[in-house]
Amino acid sequence: YRHTRRFGLAEPGIRLRAIDPAARYREAGTGQIHHGAILLTHGLVPDLPPDDYASTLVHLTREEP
């Protein structure tokens, strides 16, 4: 969740740990594919409403090659 909105600044990504950098992960809610290396270095930027203390749940599933 986000505590407060930071005006004029880009939302920081949430860096995930214990992710295989060579794998791909599918987001269950949107079907979007994320690369493990990007999740480790840049993080995941969830689509949050503009309110303070906004939150969401993101379910990622590892894709098999």
Side-chain angles (χ1 to χ4, degrees):
Y1 72 95
R2 174 182 53 224
H3 289 278
T4 57
R5 191 107 195 215
R6 297 172 15 181
F7 293 103
L9 299 175
E11 292 290 330
I14 301 167
R15 291 184 185 173
L16 303 179
R17 294 181 265 180
I19 296 286
D20 181 2
R24 293 181 181 187
Y25 295 86
R26 180 179 300 275
E27 189 174 336
T30 64
Q32 186 176 5
I33 300 291
H34 302 279
H35 296 274
I38 299 297
L39 294 173
L40 285 170
T41 57
H42 297 288
L44 178 69
V45 180
D47 185 24
L48 294 174
D51 306 325
D52 289 342
Y53 299 100
S55 65
T56 189
L57 177 66
V58 177
H59 181 221
L60 297 174
T61 305
R62 182 178 175 157
E63 290 285 301
E64 296 299 324

Coordinates of all heavy atoms in Angstrom, one line a residue:
Y1 N 0.8 -1.2 0.0 CA 0.0 0.0 0.0 C 0.9 1.2 0.0 O 2.0 1.2 0.3 CB -1.0 0.0 1.2 CG -0.3 0.2 2.5 CD1 -0.3 1.5 3.0 CD2 0.2 -0.8 3.3 CE1 0.3 1.7 4.3 CE2 0.8 -0.5 4.5 CZ 0.8 0.7 5.0 OH 1.4 0.9 6.2
R2 N 0.3 2.3 -0.4 CA 1.0 3.6 -0.4 C 0.5 4.5 0.7 O -0.7 4.6 0.9 CB 0.7 4.3 -1.8 CG 1.3 5.7 -1.9 CD 1.0 6.4 -3.1 NE -0.5 6.4 -3.4 CZ -1.0 6.2 -4.6 NH1 -0.2 5.9 -5.6 NH2 -2.3 6.2 -4.7
H3 N 1.5 5.0 1.5 CA 1.1 5.9 2.6 C 0.4 7.2 2.1 O -0.7 7.4 2.4 CB 2.3 6.2 3.4 CG 2.9 5.1 4.2 ND1 2.3 4.7 5.4 CD2 3.9 4.2 4.0 CE1 3.0 3.7 5.9 NE2 3.9 3.4 5.0
T4 N 1.2 7.9 1.4 CA 0.7 9.2 0.9 C 1.2 9.4 -0.6 O 2.2 8.8 -1.0 CB 1.1 10.4 1.7 OG1 2.5 10.4 1.7 CG2 0.6 10.4 3.1
R5 N 0.5 10.1 -1.3 CA 0.8 10.4 -2.7 C 1.9 11.4 -2.7 O 2.0 12.4 -2.0 CB -0.4 11.0 -3.4 CG -0.3 11.1 -4.8 CD -1.2 10.1 -5.5 NE -0.6 10.2 -6.8 CZ -1.3 10.1 -7.9 NH1 -2.5 9.8 -7.9 NH2 -0.7 10.2 -9.1
R6 N 2.9 11.2 -3.7 CA 4.0 12.1 -3.8 C 3.8 12.9 -5.1 O 4.0 12.4 -6.2 CB 5.3 11.4 -3.9 CG 5.5 10.6 -2.5 CD 6.7 9.7 -2.6 NE 7.6 9.9 -3.7 CZ 8.7 9.1 -3.9 NH1 9.0 8.2 -3.0 NH2 9.5 9.3 -4.9
F7 N 3.4 14.1 -5.0 CA 3.1 14.9 -6.2 C 4.3 15.3 -6.9 O 5.3 15.7 -6.3 CB 2.3 16.2 -5.8 CG 0.9 15.8 -5.3 CD1 0.6 15.9 -4.0 CD2 -0.1 15.5 -6.2 CE1 -0.6 15.6 -3.5 CE2 -1.4 15.1 -5.7 CZ -1.6 15.2 -4.4
G8 N 4.3 15.2 -8.3 CA 5.4 15.6 -9.1 C 6.5 14.6 -9.2 O 7.5 14.8 -9.9
L9 N 6.4 13.4 -8.5 CA 7.4 12.4 -8.6 C 6.8 11.1 -9.1 O 5.6 10.8 -8.8 CB 8.0 12.1 -7.2 CG 8.8 13.3 -6.6 CD1 9.2 12.9 -5.2 CD2 10.0 13.7 -7.4
A10 N 7.5 10.4 -9.9 CA 7.0 9.1 -10.4 C 6.9 8.1 -9.2 O 7.6 8.1 -8.2 CB 8.0 8.5 -11.4
E11 N 5.9 7.2 -9.3 CA 5.7 6.2 -8.3 C 6.9 5.2 -8.3 O 7.2 4.7 -9.4 CB 4.4 5.4 -8.5 CG 3.2 6.3 -8.3 CD 2.9 6.6 -6.8 OE1 3.3 5.9 -5.9 OE2 2.4 7.7 -6.6
P12 N 7.5 5.0 -7.2 CA 8.6 4.0 -7.2 C 8.1 2.6 -7.3 O 7.0 2.2 -6.9 CB 9.3 4.2 -5.8 CG 8.2 4.7 -5.0 CD 7.3 5.5 -5.9
G13 N 8.9 1.7 -8.0 CA 8.5 0.3 -8.1 C 8.7 -0.4 -6.9 O 9.6 -0.1 -6.1
I14 N 8.0 -1.5 -6.6 CA 8.2 -2.4 -5.5 C 9.1 -3.5 -5.9 O 8.7 -4.4 -6.7 CB 6.8 -2.9 -5.0 CG1 5.9 -1.8 -4.6 CG2 7.1 -3.9 -3.8 CD1 4.5 -2.2 -4.4
R15 N 10.3 -3.5 -5.4 CA 11.3 -4.5 -5.8 C 10.9 -5.8 -5.1 O 10.8 -5.9 -3.9 CB 12.7 -4.1 -5.5 CG 13.2 -3.0 -6.3 CD 14.6 -2.6 -6.0 NE 15.0 -1.5 -6.8 CZ 16.2 -0.9 -6.6 NH1 17.0 -1.3 -5.7 NH2 16.5 0.2 -7.3
L16 N 10.9 -6.9 -5.9 CA 10.5 -8.2 -5.4 C 11.8 -9.0 -5.1 O 12.7 -8.9 -5.9 CB 9.6 -8.9 -6.3 CG 8.3 -8.1 -6.7 CD1 7.5 -8.9 -7.7 CD2 7.5 -7.8 -5.5
R17 N 11.7 -9.8 -4.1 CA 12.9 -10.7 -3.8 C 12.5 -12.1 -4.1 O 11.3 -12.4 -4.3 CB 13.2 -10.6 -2.3 CG 13.8 -9.2 -2.0 CD 14.1 -9.1 -0.5 NE 12.9 -8.5 0.1 CZ 12.9 -8.3 1.4 NH1 13.9 -8.6 2.2 NH2 11.8 -7.7 1.9
A18 N 13.5 -13.0 -4.1 CA 13.3 -14.4 -4.4 C 12.6 -14.7 -5.7 O 11.8 -15.6 -5.9 CB 12.5 -15.1 -3.2
I19 N 12.9 -13.9 -6.7 CA 12.4 -14.0 -8.1 C 13.5 -14.5 -8.9 O 14.7 -14.0 -8.8 CB 11.9 -12.6 -8.6 CG1 10.7 -12.1 -7.8 CG2 11.6 -12.7 -10.0 CD1 9.4 -12.9 -8.0
D20 N 13.2 -15.4 -9.8 CA 14.2 -15.9 -10.8 C 14.4 -14.9 -11.9 O 13.4 -14.6 -12.6 CB 13.8 -17.3 -11.3 CG 14.7 -17.9 -12.3 OD1 15.8 -17.3 -12.5 OD2 14.4 -19.0 -12.9
P21 N 15.6 -14.3 -12.1 CA 15.8 -13.3 -13.1 C 15.6 -13.8 -14.5 O 15.3 -13.1 -15.4 CB 17.2 -12.8 -12.9 CG 17.9 -13.8 -12.0 CD 16.8 -14.6 -11.3
A22 N 15.7 -15.1 -14.7 CA 15.6 -15.7 -16.1 C 14.1 -16.1 -16.4 O 13.8 -16.4 -17.5 CB 16.5 -16.9 -16.2
A23 N 13.2 -16.0 -15.4 CA 11.9 -16.5 -15.6 C 11.0 -15.3 -16.0 O 11.3 -14.2 -15.8 CB 11.3 -17.1 -14.3
R24 N 9.8 -15.7 -16.4 CA 8.7 -14.7 -16.7 C 7.6 -15.0 -15.8 O 7.3 -16.1 -15.4 CB 8.3 -14.8 -18.2 CG 9.3 -14.3 -19.1 CD 8.8 -14.4 -20.5 NE 9.9 -14.0 -21.4 CZ 9.8 -13.8 -22.7 NH1 8.6 -14.0 -23.3 NH2 10.8 -13.5 -23.4
Y25 N 6.9 -13.9 -15.4 CA 5.8 -14.0 -14.4 C 4.5 -13.4 -15.0 O 4.6 -12.2 -15.5 CB 6.1 -13.4 -13.1 CG 7.3 -14.1 -12.4 CD1 8.6 -13.8 -12.7 CD2 7.0 -15.1 -11.5 CE1 9.7 -14.5 -12.1 CE2 8.1 -15.8 -10.9 CZ 9.4 -15.5 -11.2 OH 10.4 -16.1 -10.6
R26 N 3.4 -14.1 -14.9 CA 2.1 -13.5 -15.4 C 1.3 -13.0 -14.2 O 1.2 -13.6 -13.2 CB 1.3 -14.6 -16.1 CG 0.0 -14.1 -16.6 CD -0.8 -15.2 -17.4 NE -0.1 -15.7 -18.5 CZ -0.1 -15.2 -19.7 NH1 -0.8 -14.1 -19.9 NH2 0.6 -15.8 -20.7
E27 N 0.8 -11.8 -14.4 CA -0.1 -11.1 -13.4 C -1.5 -11.7 -13.6 O -2.0 -11.5 -14.7 CB 0.0 -9.6 -13.6 CG -0.7 -8.9 -12.5 CD -0.5 -7.4 -12.6 OE1 0.5 -6.9 -13.3 OE2 -1.3 -6.6 -12.1
A28 N -2.0 -12.3 -12.6 CA -3.3 -12.9 -12.7 C -4.5 -12.0 -13.0 O -5.3 -12.3 -13.8 CB -3.7 -13.7 -11.4
G29 N -4.5 -10.8 -12.5 CA -5.6 -9.9 -12.7 C -5.6 -9.3 -14.1 O -6.7 -9.0 -14.7
T30 N -4.5 -9.0 -14.7 CA -4.4 -8.4 -16.0 C -3.9 -9.3 -17.2 O -4.1 -8.9 -18.3 CB -3.5 -7.1 -16.0 OG1 -2.2 -7.6 -15.7 CG2 -4.0 -6.2 -14.9
G31 N -3.2 -10.3 -16.8 CA -2.6 -11.2 -17.8 C -1.3 -10.7 -18.3 O -0.7 -11.3 -19.2
Q32 N -0.8 -9.6 -17.8 CA 0.4 -9.0 -18.2 C 1.6 -9.8 -17.8 O 1.6 -10.4 -16.7 CB 0.6 -7.6 -17.6 CG 1.8 -6.8 -18.1 CD 1.8 -5.4 -17.5 OE1 1.0 -5.0 -16.7 NE2 2.8 -4.6 -17.9
I33 N 2.6 -9.9 -18.7 CA 3.8 -10.7 -18.4 C 4.9 -9.8 -17.9 O 5.1 -8.7 -18.5 CB 4.3 -11.4 -19.7 CG1 3.2 -12.4 -20.2 CG2 5.6 -12.1 -19.5 CD1 3.0 -13.6 -19.4
H34 N 5.6 -10.2 -16.9 CA 6.7 -9.4 -16.3 C 8.0 -10.3 -16.3 O 7.9 -11.5 -16.0 CB 6.4 -9.0 -14.8 CG 5.2 -8.2 -14.7 ND1 5.2 -6.9 -14.9 CD2 3.9 -8.6 -14.3 CE1 3.9 -6.4 -14.7 NE2 3.2 -7.4 -14.3
H35 N 9.1 -9.7 -16.7 CA 10.4 -10.4 -16.7 C 11.0 -10.4 -15.3 O 11.0 -9.3 -14.6 CB 11.3 -9.8 -17.7 CG 10.8 -10.0 -19.1 ND1 11.1 -11.1 -19.9 CD2 10.1 -9.2 -19.9 CE1 10.5 -11.0 -21.0 NE2 9.9 -9.8 -21.1
G36 N 11.5 -11.5 -14.8 CA 12.1 -11.6 -13.5 C 13.2 -10.6 -13.3 O 13.3 -10.0 -12.2
A37 N 14.0 -10.4 -14.2 CA 15.1 -9.4 -14.1 C 14.6 -8.0 -13.8 O 15.2 -7.3 -13.0 CB 16.1 -9.5 -15.3
I38 N 13.5 -7.6 -14.5 CA 13.0 -6.3 -14.3 C 12.3 -6.2 -12.9 O 12.5 -5.2 -12.2 CB 11.9 -6.0 -15.4 CG1 12.6 -6.0 -16.8 CG2 11.2 -4.7 -15.1 CD1 13.6 -5.0 -17.0
L39 N 11.6 -7.2 -12.5 CA 11.0 -7.2 -11.1 C 12.1 -7.1 -10.0 O 11.9 -6.5 -9.0 CB 10.2 -8.5 -10.9 CG 9.0 -8.6 -11.8 CD1 8.3 -10.0 -11.6 CD2 8.0 -7.5 -11.5
L40 N 13.3 -7.7 -10.3 CA 14.3 -7.6 -9.3 C 15.0 -6.2 -9.3 O 15.4 -5.7 -8.2 CB 15.4 -8.7 -9.6 CG 15.1 -10.1 -9.2 CD1 16.1 -11.1 -9.7 CD2 15.0 -10.2 -7.7
T41 N 15.2 -5.6 -10.4 CA 16.0 -4.4 -10.5 C 15.1 -3.1 -10.4 O 15.4 -2.2 -9.7 CB 16.8 -4.3 -11.8 OG1 15.9 -4.5 -12.9 CG2 17.9 -5.4 -11.8
H42 N 14.0 -3.1 -11.2 CA 13.1 -1.9 -11.2 C 11.9 -2.1 -10.4 O 11.3 -1.1 -9.9 CB 12.7 -1.6 -12.6 CG 13.9 -1.3 -13.5 ND1 14.6 -0.1 -13.4 CD2 14.5 -2.0 -14.5 CE1 15.6 -0.1 -14.3 NE2 15.6 -1.2 -15.0
G43 N 11.4 -3.3 -10.2 CA 10.3 -3.5 -9.3 C 9.0 -3.5 -10.1 O 8.9 -3.3 -11.3
L44 N 7.9 -3.7 -9.4 CA 6.5 -3.7 -10.0 C 5.8 -2.5 -9.6 O 5.8 -2.1 -8.4 CB 5.8 -5.0 -9.4 CG 4.4 -5.2 -9.9 CD1 4.3 -5.5 -11.4 CD2 3.7 -6.3 -9.1
V45 N 5.3 -1.8 -10.5 CA 4.5 -0.5 -10.2 C 3.0 -0.9 -10.3 O 2.5 -1.0 -11.4 CB 4.9 0.6 -11.2 CG1 4.1 1.9 -10.8 CG2 6.3 0.9 -11.1
P46 N 2.3 -1.1 -9.2 CA 0.9 -1.5 -9.2 C 0.1 -0.3 -9.6 O 0.4 0.8 -9.4 CB 0.6 -1.9 -7.8 CG 1.6 -1.2 -7.0 CD 2.9 -1.0 -7.8
D47 N -1.1 -0.6 -10.3 CA -2.0 0.4 -10.7 C -2.9 0.7 -9.4 O -3.8 0.0 -9.1 CB -2.9 -0.1 -11.8 CG -3.8 0.9 -12.3 OD1 -3.5 2.1 -12.2 OD2 -4.9 0.5 -12.9
L48 N -2.6 1.8 -8.8 CA -3.3 2.2 -7.5 C -4.2 3.4 -7.8 O -3.8 4.3 -8.6 CB -2.3 2.6 -6.4 CG -1.4 1.4 -5.9 CD1 -0.4 2.0 -4.9 CD2 -2.2 0.4 -5.2
P49 N -5.3 3.5 -7.1 CA -6.1 4.7 -7.2 C -5.4 5.9 -6.6 O -4.4 5.7 -5.9 CB -7.4 4.4 -6.3 CG -7.1 3.1 -5.7 CD -5.9 2.5 -6.2
P50 N -5.8 7.1 -7.0 CA -5.0 8.3 -6.5 C -5.1 8.6 -5.1 O -4.5 9.6 -4.6 CB -5.6 9.4 -7.4 CG -6.9 8.9 -7.7 CD -6.9 7.5 -7.8
D51 N -5.8 7.9 -4.3 CA -6.0 8.2 -2.9 C -4.8 7.9 -2.0 O -4.0 7.1 -2.4 CB -7.2 7.5 -2.3 CG -8.5 7.7 -3.1 OD1 -8.7 8.8 -3.6 OD2 -9.2 6.7 -3.3
D52 N -4.7 8.6 -0.9 CA -3.7 8.2 0.1 C -4.1 6.9 0.7 O -5.3 6.5 0.8 CB -3.6 9.3 1.2 CG -3.0 10.6 0.8 OD1 -2.4 10.6 -0.3 OD2 -3.2 11.6 1.5
Y53 N -3.1 6.1 1.1 CA -3.3 4.8 1.7 C -4.0 3.8 0.8 O -4.8 3.0 1.2 CB -4.0 4.9 3.1 CG -3.2 5.6 4.1 CD1 -3.6 7.0 4.3 CD2 -2.2 5.1 4.7 CE1 -2.8 7.7 5.2 CE2 -1.4 5.8 5.6 CZ -1.8 7.1 5.9 OH -1.0 7.9 6.7
A54 N -3.8 4.0 -0.5 CA -4.4 3.1 -1.5 C -3.6 1.8 -1.5 O -2.4 1.7 -1.2 CB -4.3 3.7 -2.9
S55 N -4.3 0.7 -1.8 CA -3.6 -0.6 -1.8 C -4.2 -1.5 -2.8 O -5.3 -1.3 -3.4 CB -3.7 -1.3 -0.4 OG -5.1 -1.6 -0.1
T56 N -3.5 -2.6 -3.2 CA -4.0 -3.6 -4.1 C -3.3 -4.9 -3.8 O -2.2 -4.9 -3.1 CB -3.8 -3.2 -5.6 OG1 -4.4 -4.1 -6.4 CG2 -2.3 -3.1 -5.9
L57 N -3.8 -6.0 -4.3 CA -3.1 -7.3 -4.2 C -2.8 -7.7 -5.6 O -3.6 -7.7 -6.5 CB -4.1 -8.3 -3.6 CG -3.6 -9.7 -3.5 CD1 -2.4 -9.8 -2.5 CD2 -4.7 -10.6 -3.0
V58 N -1.5 -8.1 -5.8 CA -1.0 -8.6 -7.1 C -0.6 -10.0 -7.0 O 0.2 -10.3 -6.1 CB 0.1 -7.7 -7.6 CG1 0.6 -8.2 -9.0 CG2 -0.3 -6.3 -7.8
H59 N -1.2 -10.9 -7.8 CA -0.9 -12.3 -7.8 C 0.0 -12.6 -9.0 O -0.5 -12.5 -10.2 CB -2.1 -13.2 -7.7 CG -1.9 -14.6 -7.7 ND1 -2.6 -15.5 -8.4 CD2 -1.0 -15.4 -7.0 CE1 -2.2 -16.7 -8.2 NE2 -1.2 -16.7 -7.3
L60 N 1.2 -13.0 -8.8 CA 2.1 -13.4 -9.9 C 2.3 -14.9 -10.0 O 2.5 -15.5 -8.9 CB 3.5 -12.7 -9.8 CG 3.5 -11.2 -9.8 CD1 4.9 -10.7 -9.5 CD2 3.0 -10.7 -11.2
T61 N 2.2 -15.5 -11.2 CA 2.5 -16.9 -11.4 C 3.6 -17.1 -12.4 O 3.6 -16.4 -13.4 CB 1.2 -17.6 -12.0 OG1 0.1 -17.3 -11.1 CG2 1.4 -19.1 -12.1
R62 N 4.6 -17.9 -12.0 CA 5.7 -18.1 -12.9 C 5.2 -18.9 -14.1 O 4.5 -19.9 -14.0 CB 6.8 -19.0 -12.1 CG 8.0 -19.2 -13.0 CD 9.0 -20.0 -12.2 NE 10.1 -20.3 -13.0 CZ 11.3 -20.6 -12.6 NH1 11.6 -20.6 -11.3 NH2 12.3 -20.9 -13.4
E63 N 5.7 -18.4 -15.3 CA 5.3 -19.0 -16.6 C 6.4 -20.1 -16.9 O 7.6 -19.9 -16.8 CB 5.3 -18.0 -17.7 CG 4.2 -17.0 -17.6 CD 2.8 -17.7 -18.0 OE1 2.7 -18.1 -19.1 OE2 1.9 -17.7 -17.1
E64 N 5.9 -21.3 -17.3 CA 6.8 -22.3 -17.7 C 7.2 -22.1 -19.2 O 6.3 -21.8 -20.0 CB 6.2 -23.7 -17.5 CG 5.9 -24.0 -16.0 CD 7.1 -24.0 -15.2 OE1 8.2 -24.5 -15.6 OE2 7.0 -23.6 -14.0
P65 N 8.4 -22.3 -19.5 CA 8.8 -22.1 -20.9 C 8.2 -23.1 -21.9 O 7.7 -24.1 -21.6 CB 10.3 -22.3 -20.9 CG 10.7 -22.9 -19.6 CD 9.5 -22.8 -18.7

